[in-house]
């Protein structure tokens, strides 16, 4: 009776390969971490530093460098980094060269709140603490600060940030009583009375059209206030 050796050879080969893979994997995991890299993703990377992240890791996990790879729990490190109020999300992984790499995306402030408490409003409408490393150049929010008012402010800024002209020219929003808002401009002395946070598309389109025409006519300096509060109208108050 002839024995078919081919299946047996295949099984033996697979066992040998599995053993080699397991041994190689063991060798890789038993190696120590040779270096730590902190990478901030995107251009919004000024509100936290590599030194601060390394200090955070040391405080929670001790020195990570020179520890064996299999002693490191990557999810725990991600959770520690993401617990920092400046961090939006983090991904931590090990490279084949023995590096512990942390890729971090920071939160993005879109306004600074100047109330009893000082803080930022981020790009999803959540409160964000000020950073000791960098001060963001964003519109300043003043006046009657409240949770409901900040929802309106976020809605207004969403529209502002979609338009280059508005984004460059609006540097502040003042909150008045009863949900009424005043826009502060970068170069002009007059204020823009927006009214409520409804019908913003029409209000901003009307304002841009007025501004461009008044610039062409060289009449901007004649106004003390511009009101967008009335339906489909721009009402001007002269000095």
């Amino acid at each position: 009776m002839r024995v078919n050796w081919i299946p047996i050879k295949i099984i033996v080969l697979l066992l040998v390969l599995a053993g080699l893979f397991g041994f190689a994997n063991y060798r890789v995991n038993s190696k120590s971490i040779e270096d730590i890299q902190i990478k901030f993703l995107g251009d919004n990377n000024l509100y936290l530093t590599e030194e601060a992240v390394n200090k955070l890791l040391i405080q929670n996990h001790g020195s990570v460098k020179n520890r064996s790879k299999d002693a490191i729990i990557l999810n725990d490190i991600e959770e520690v980094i993401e617990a920092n109020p400046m961090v939006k999300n983090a991904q931590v992984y090990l490279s084949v060269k023995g590096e512990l790499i942390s890729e971090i995306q920071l939160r993005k402030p879109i306004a600074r709140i100047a109330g009893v408490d000082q803080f930022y409003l981020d790009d999803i409408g959540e409160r964000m603490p000020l950073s000791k490393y960098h001060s963001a150049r964003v519109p300043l929010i003043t006046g009657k600060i409240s949770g409901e008012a900040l929802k309106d402010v976020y809605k207004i800024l969403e529209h502002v940030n979609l338009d280059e002209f508005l984004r460059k020219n609006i540097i502040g929003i003042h909150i008045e009583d009863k949900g009424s808002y005043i826009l502060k401009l970068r170069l002009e002395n007059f204020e823009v009375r927006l009214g409520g946070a409804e019908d913003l598309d029409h209000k901003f389109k009307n304002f841009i059209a007025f501004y461009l025409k008044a610039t062409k006519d060289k009449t901007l300096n004649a106004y003390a206030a511009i009101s967008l509060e009335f339906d489909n109208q721009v009402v001007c108050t002269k000095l």
Side-chain angles (χ1 to χ4, degrees):
M1 178 179 177
R2 295 184 62 184
V3 177
N4 187 351
W5 291 99
I6 293 177
I8 297 174
K9 290 179 179 179
I10 292 174
I11 293 173
V12 172
L13 179 60
L14 291 175
L15 290 173
V16 171
L17 291 174
L20 290 173
F21 177 79
F23 178 72
N25 191 53
Y26 169 78
R27 288 286 302 275
V28 169
N29 288 333
S30 62
K31 287 184 178 180
S32 62
I33 295 173
E34 297 180 3
D35 194 16
I36 299 173
Q37 285 195 35
I38 309 296
K39 298 181 179 180
F40 293 106
L41 304 181
D43 56 1
N44 184 48
N45 57 5
L46 300 173
Y47 307 104
L48 197 61
T49 65
E50 292 184 21
E51 181 182 358
V53 175
N54 281 322
K55 184 178 180 180
L56 190 65
L57 293 179
I58 291 172
Q59 288 174 342
N60 288 272
H61 290 282
S63 179
V64 177
K65 193 173 180 180
N66 297 323
R67 290 173 62 181
S68 63
K69 291 182 179 180
D70 56 3
I72 300 297
I73 301 176
L74 300 180
N75 287 342
D76 287 353
I77 295 178
E78 287 180 355
E79 289 177 2
V80 167
I81 296 174
E82 289 178 344
N84 186 286
M86 296 295 171
V87 175
K88 187 173 185 178
N89 57 63
Q91 182 178 5
V92 179
Y93 59 92
L94 295 167
S95 74
V96 294
K97 296 180 180 180
E99 300 170 318
L100 180 73
I101 300 175
S102 300
E103 294 184 344
I104 301 171
Q105 184 178 7
L106 299 182
R107 297 169 68 185
K108 181 179 180 180
I110 61 170
R112 179 167 179 159
I113 312 304
V116 176
D117 296 322
Q118 300 274 329
F119 57 92
Y120 290 126
L121 193 68
D122 74 3
D123 59 351
I124 60 171
E126 300 290 338
R127 295 188 178 208
M128 173 182 171
L130 302 183
S131 169
K132 63 180 180 180
Y133 303 107
H134 180 73
S135 181
R137 297 183 63 183
V138 291
L140 186 67
I141 312 304
T142 58
K144 306 289 185 179
I145 307 297
S146 70
E148 287 301 313
L150 290 182
K151 290 180 182 179
D152 282 348
V153 166
Y154 175 69
K155 183 179 177 182
I156 293 167
L157 289 173
E158 277 191 308
H159 281 73
V160 168
N161 289 328
L162 289 174
D163 185 274
E164 184 178 2
F165 170 82
L166 297 174
R167 189 169 60 250
K168 287 182 177 180
N169 284 281
I170 293 176
I171 61 170
I173 301 175
H174 183 74
I175 304 170
E176 294 193 303
D177 292 324
K178 299 180 180 179
S180 183
Y181 303 92
I182 297 175
L183 307 179
K184 305 293 184 178
L185 302 184
R186 184 179 304 280
L187 298 177
E188 310 304 335
N189 292 324
F190 59 79
E191 63 183 23
V192 179
R193 305 192 69 86
L194 183 67
E198 69 285 338
D199 202 21
L200 293 174
D201 284 334
H202 283 95
K203 288 180 178 180
F204 282 129
K205 285 178 181 177
N206 289 340
F207 172 66
I208 293 173
F210 159 80
Y211 189 96
L212 294 176
K213 185 178 186 305
T215 300
K216 183 178 179 180
D217 296 340
K218 298 181 180 180
T219 58
L220 283 176
N221 292 333
Y223 303 112
I226 307 297
S227 175
L228 308 175
E229 300 168 278
F230 307 100
D231 291 342
N232 206 30
Q233 297 182 63
V234 177
V235 178
C236 305
T237 301
K238 289 190 176 183
L239 293 171

